[in-house]
């Protein structure tokens, strides 16, 4: 399974970006797809996740109300709409797939290559 993340870039504080993650193989209803981010010198942290089958979503507190995770089952693509961006959102963003919901990166077995999001103040 290959995951291809895209959509990162440079944006000003308060701006928006939409990340995409295309999967090379079918994503099944039992799978959970997630977004993580890693700032320089820091560990990779959970941002959001979605149950592929039901569409149930989960967010870390710092992005609730600003980020929206979604999926297009027909295109096998995961999205992360990021609004009201802040400088502290600056990081490399990774998409990943797991067999069950968890916020721990170790639970995800397939990862995209990462896309850099930079929010200027």
């Amino acid at each position: 399974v290959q995951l291809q993340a895209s959509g990162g870039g440079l944006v000003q504080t308060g701006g928006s970006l939409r990340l995409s993650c295309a999967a090379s193989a079918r994503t099944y209803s039992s799978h959970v797809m997630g977004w993580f981010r890693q700032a320089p010198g820091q560990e990779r942290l959970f941002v959001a996740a979605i149950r592929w089958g039901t569409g149930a979503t989960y967010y870390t507190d710092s992005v609730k109300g600003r980020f929206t995770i979604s999926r297009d089952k027909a295109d096998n693509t995961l999205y992360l709409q990021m609004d009201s961006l802040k400088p502290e959102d600056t990081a490399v963003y990774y998409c990943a797939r797991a067999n069950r919901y968890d916020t721990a990166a170790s639970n995800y077995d397939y990862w995209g290559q990462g896309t850099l999001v930079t929010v200027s103040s």
Side-chain angles (χ1 to χ4, degrees):
V1 177
Q2 291 186 334
L3 302 178
Q4 182 72 36
S6 61
L10 174 64
V11 64
Q12 292 185 332
T13 296
S16 298
L17 282 174
R18 188 193 195 202
L19 305 184
S20 300
C21 176
S24 64
R26 180 183 174 184
T27 306
Y28 290 91
S29 296
S30 58
H31 288 139
V32 173
M33 296 293 293
W35 288 99
F36 287 75
R37 64 187 179 186
Q38 188 168 18
Q42 298 188 18
E43 64 181 320
R44 194 169 296 187
L45 298 176
F46 172 80
V47 175
I50 186 167
R51 293 188 185 273
W52 202 256
T54 65
T57 58
Y58 309 87
Y59 299 93
T60 192
D61 286 347
S62 63
V63 308
K64 285 180 180 177
R66 300 189 299 121
F67 291 11
T68 303
I69 189 171
S70 63
R71 89 283 196 227
D72 185 325
K73 297 173 77 173
D75 285 345
N76 213 31
T77 303
L78 175 73
Y79 299 99
L80 185 68
Q81 176 67 40
M82 304 185 296
D83 299 318
S84 302
L85 283 162
K86 305 175 181 180
E88 51 264 43
D89 295 318
T90 295
V92 177
Y93 283 71
Y94 298 88
C95 57
R97 195 187 82 176
N99 291 319
R100 62 179 177 86
Y101 169 65
D102 202 325
T103 60
S106 59
N107 186 53
Y108 290 73
D109 47 9
Y110 294 99
W111 290 84
Q113 83 287 6
T115 184
L116 177 62
V117 172
T118 304
V119 184
S120 63
S121 57

